[in-house]
Amino acid sequence: MEFEQRAKEIIKAIPRGKVATYLQVASLAGNHRAARQVARVLHSSSAKDRLPWQRVINSRGGISLKRGHGFEEQKRRLIKEGVHVDSRGRVDLDVFQWEPGGTRFASAREFLRNLAKQKPSSSGRAF
DNA sequence: CCTATGACAGACA
DNA sequence: GTGTCTGCCATAG
């Protein structure tokens, strides 16, 4: 429940017009191996907690929801806030990925790689 | 305790 | 690029 709570707060912190990956949220929440739990949290309580769920996408920069089961709505919501999503549901992470704290890395992948190196529960706060 | 779940990620063919 | 397989782990029951 600790993890879940932190994950929710992180998701709420993703700014309009930016996206974060499940892995990124999990890492920021203190456990880079818990990406699936982020998915689970969104699945079970995104509506109830008014989370900006549309801003969470997978590590390949794509929408994970399936067509006919949320894909279209997520795409609409993202486009409405200025994120470019192509017909296949892909977003350019190098352009739209959220960089908490404005940390600069050579690339989005480098940024993620760095986060993923943290040990679970390690001192926390990447903000 | 055990099992099931989940909108994942990475490695590999 | 695609498809499959495996590891992953916090929660709920």
Side-chain angles (χ1 to χ4, degrees):
Chain A
M1 178 143 172
E2 177 107 348
F3 175 86
E4 180 174 331
Q5 209 39 255
R6 281 189 310 231
K8 285 179 184 172
E9 299 198 2
I10 287 158
I11 291 166
K12 285 190 243 173
I14 305 171
R16 271 181 69 90
K18 288 292 180 182
V19 297
T21 66
Y22 297 90
L23 172 61
Q24 184 180 5
V25 172
S27 296
L28 291 170
N31 189 344
H32 74 276
R33 289 176 294 208
R36 303 194 74 179
Q37 283 58 251
V38 175
R40 188 179 165 283
V41 166
L42 281 137
H43 174 80
S44 50
S45 55
S46 60
K48 167 175 139 14
D49 294 300
R50 309 242 166 94
L51 302 174
W53 58 270
Q54 71 273 21
R55 298 177 191 150
V56 185
I57 63 182
N58 65 39
S59 67
R60 295 133 193 131
I63 289 175
S64 280
L65 290 172
K66 298 185 176 157
R67 294 184 184 265
H69 294 88
F71 175 95
E72 292 82 359
E73 188 184 352
Q74 183 165 13
K75 181 177 170 184
R76 264 202 317 276
R77 285 176 174 238
L78 284 174
I79 289 175
K80 188 158 65 178
E81 52 185 73
V83 176
H84 177 266
V85 185
D86 71 18
S87 55
R88 308 234 318 167
R90 305 297 298 273
V91 172
D92 187 344
L93 288 179
D94 288 327
V95 175
F96 297 104
Q97 183 170 38
W98 176 41
E99 292 179 7
T103 318
R104 286 186 170 280
F105 287 93
S107 69
R109 295 209 78 78
E110 171 84 4
F111 171 72
L112 266 188
R113 235 167 43 72
N114 231 279
L115 285 179
K117 281 186 174 170
Q118 297 178 29
K119 288 198 163 186
S121 310
S122 75
S123 65
R125 234 45 8 106
F127 295 96

